[in-house]
PDB file of all heavy atoms in Angstrom:
ATOM      1  N   SER A 262       9.604  16.327 -76.568  1.00 94.00           N
ATOM      2  CA  SER A 262       9.758  16.164 -78.013  1.00 94.00           C
ATOM      3  C   SER A 262       9.418  14.724 -78.387  1.00 94.00           C
ATOM      4  O   SER A 262       9.569  13.799 -77.598  1.00 94.00           O
ATOM      5  CB  SER A 262      11.183  16.515 -78.455  1.00 94.00           C
ATOM      6  OG  SER A 262      12.117  15.651 -77.849  1.00 94.00           O
ATOM      7  N   TYR A 263       8.938  14.599 -79.618  1.00 93.00           N
ATOM      8  CA  TYR A 263       8.567  13.281 -80.140  1.00 93.00           C
ATOM      9  C   TYR A 263       9.083  13.172 -81.562  1.00 93.00           C
ATOM     10  O   TYR A 263       8.867  14.065 -82.389  1.00 93.00           O
ATOM     11  CB  TYR A 263       7.050  13.101 -80.113  1.00 93.00           C
ATOM     12  CG  TYR A 263       6.597  11.782 -80.685  1.00 93.00           C
ATOM     13  CD1 TYR A 263       6.747  10.611 -79.958  1.00 93.00           C
ATOM     14  CD2 TYR A 263       6.031  11.706 -81.945  1.00 93.00           C
ATOM     15  CE1 TYR A 263       6.348   9.396 -80.475  1.00 93.00           C
ATOM     16  CE2 TYR A 263       5.618  10.494 -82.475  1.00 93.00           C
ATOM     17  CZ  TYR A 263       5.778   9.344 -81.735  1.00 93.00           C
ATOM     18  OH  TYR A 263       5.380   8.141 -82.245  1.00 93.00           O
ATOM     19  N   ASN A 264       9.772  12.100 -81.855  1.00 93.00           N
ATOM     20  CA  ASN A 264      10.288  11.846 -83.187  1.00 93.00           C
ATOM     21  C   ASN A 264       9.364  10.854 -83.879  1.00 93.00           C
ATOM     22  O   ASN A 264       9.266   9.694 -83.469  1.00 93.00           O
ATOM     23  CB  ASN A 264      11.717  11.298 -83.101  1.00 93.00           C
ATOM     24  CG  ASN A 264      12.352  11.127 -84.452  1.00 93.00           C
ATOM     25  OD1 ASN A 264      11.727  10.653 -85.388  1.00 93.00           O
ATOM     26  ND2 ASN A 264      13.613  11.508 -84.549  1.00 93.00           N
ATOM     27  N   LYS A 265       8.672  11.326 -84.913  1.00 93.00           N
ATOM     28  CA  LYS A 265       7.709  10.467 -85.619  1.00 93.00           C
ATOM     29  C   LYS A 265       8.387   9.281 -86.290  1.00 93.00           C
ATOM     30  O   LYS A 265       7.798   8.203 -86.384  1.00 93.00           O
ATOM     31  CB  LYS A 265       6.966  11.283 -86.676  1.00 93.00           C
ATOM     32  CG  LYS A 265       6.037  12.305 -86.112  1.00 93.00           C
ATOM     33  CD  LYS A 265       5.357  13.074 -87.225  1.00 93.00           C
ATOM     34  CE  LYS A 265       4.513  14.186 -86.668  1.00 93.00           C
ATOM     35  NZ  LYS A 265       3.867  14.981 -87.708  1.00 93.00           N
ATOM     36  N   ASP A 266       9.602   9.498 -86.777  1.00 93.00           N
ATOM     37  CA  ASP A 266      10.293   8.425 -87.490  1.00 93.00           C
ATOM     38  C   ASP A 266      10.684   7.286 -86.559  1.00 93.00           C
ATOM     39  O   ASP A 266      10.483   6.113 -86.889  1.00 93.00           O
ATOM     40  CB  ASP A 266      11.543   8.975 -88.191  1.00 93.00           C
ATOM     41  CG  ASP A 266      11.199   9.995 -89.266  1.00 93.00           C
ATOM     42  OD1 ASP A 266      10.113   9.883 -89.859  1.00 93.00           O
ATOM     43  OD2 ASP A 266      12.012  10.910 -89.488  1.00 93.00           O
ATOM     44  N   THR A 267      11.250   7.624 -85.422  1.00 93.00           N
ATOM     45  CA  THR A 267      11.709   6.580 -84.494  1.00 93.00           C
ATOM     46  C   THR A 267      10.670   6.250 -83.430  1.00 93.00           C
ATOM     47  O   THR A 267      10.848   5.298 -82.670  1.00 93.00           O
ATOM     48  CB  THR A 267      13.006   7.019 -83.788  1.00 93.00           C
ATOM     49  OG1 THR A 267      12.725   8.171 -82.990  1.00 93.00           O
ATOM     50  CG2 THR A 267      14.110   7.319 -84.786  1.00 93.00           C
ATOM     51  N   LYS A 268       9.614   7.056 -83.383  1.00 93.00           N
ATOM     52  CA  LYS A 268       8.564   6.905 -82.374  1.00 93.00           C
ATOM     53  C   LYS A 268       9.142   6.991 -80.955  1.00 93.00           C
ATOM     54  O   LYS A 268       8.629   6.383 -80.022  1.00 93.00           O
ATOM     55  CB  LYS A 268       7.788   5.619 -82.570  1.00 93.00           C
ATOM     56  CG  LYS A 268       7.038   5.597 -83.870  1.00 93.00           C
ATOM     57  CD  LYS A 268       6.156   4.406 -83.990  1.00 93.00           C
ATOM     58  CE  LYS A 268       5.263   4.580 -85.142  1.00 93.00           C
ATOM     59  NZ  LYS A 268       5.258   3.910 -86.282  1.00 93.00           N
ATOM     60  N   ALA A 269      10.192   7.774 -80.839  1.00 94.00           N
ATOM     61  CA  ALA A 269      10.826   7.972 -79.535  1.00 94.00           C
ATOM     62  C   ALA A 269      10.431   9.337 -78.997  1.00 94.00           C
ATOM     63  O   ALA A 269      10.298  10.303 -79.747  1.00 94.00           O
ATOM     64  CB  ALA A 269      12.340   7.886 -79.668  1.00 94.00           C
ATOM     65  N   SER A 270      10.225   9.397 -77.708  1.00 94.00           N
ATOM     66  CA  SER A 270       9.908  10.676 -77.082  1.00 94.00           C
ATOM     67  C   SER A 270      10.945  10.990 -76.015  1.00 94.00           C
ATOM     68  O   SER A 270      11.624  10.102 -75.515  1.00 94.00           O
ATOM     69  CB  SER A 270       8.509  10.646 -76.471  1.00 94.00           C
ATOM     70  OG  SER A 270       8.448   9.678 -75.443  1.00 94.00           O
ATOM     71  N   ASP A 271      11.038  12.264 -75.717  1.00 94.00           N
ATOM     72  CA  ASP A 271      11.984  12.723 -74.710  1.00 94.00           C
ATOM     73  C   ASP A 271      11.304  13.833 -73.922  1.00 94.00           C
ATOM     74  O   ASP A 271      10.691  14.726 -74.512  1.00 94.00           O
ATOM     75  CB  ASP A 271      13.257  13.243 -75.379  1.00 94.00           C
ATOM     76  CG  ASP A 271      14.283  13.684 -74.369  1.00 94.00           C
ATOM     77  OD1 ASP A 271      14.554  12.916 -73.426  1.00 94.00           O
ATOM     78  OD2 ASP A 271      14.805  14.808 -74.508  1.00 94.00           O
ATOM     79  N   ALA A 272      11.395  13.763 -72.619  1.00 94.00           N
ATOM     80  CA  ALA A 272      10.756  14.772 -71.779  1.00 94.00           C
ATOM     81  C   ALA A 272      11.708  15.220 -70.682  1.00 94.00           C
ATOM     82  O   ALA A 272      12.488  14.425 -70.154  1.00 94.00           O
ATOM     83  CB  ALA A 272       9.484  14.207 -71.156  1.00 94.00           C
ATOM     84  N   GLY A 273      11.623  16.502 -70.365  1.00 94.00           N
ATOM     85  CA  GLY A 273      12.405  17.041 -69.262  1.00 94.00           C
ATOM     86  C   GLY A 273      11.897  16.500 -67.935  1.00 94.00           C
ATOM     87  O   GLY A 273      10.764  16.017 -67.831  1.00 94.00           O
TER      88      GLY A 273
END
Side-chain angles (χ1 to χ4, degrees):
S262 62
Y263 178 75
N264 185 317
K265 291 179 185 178
D266 296 330
T267 64
K268 296 187 169 112
S270 63
D271 182 49

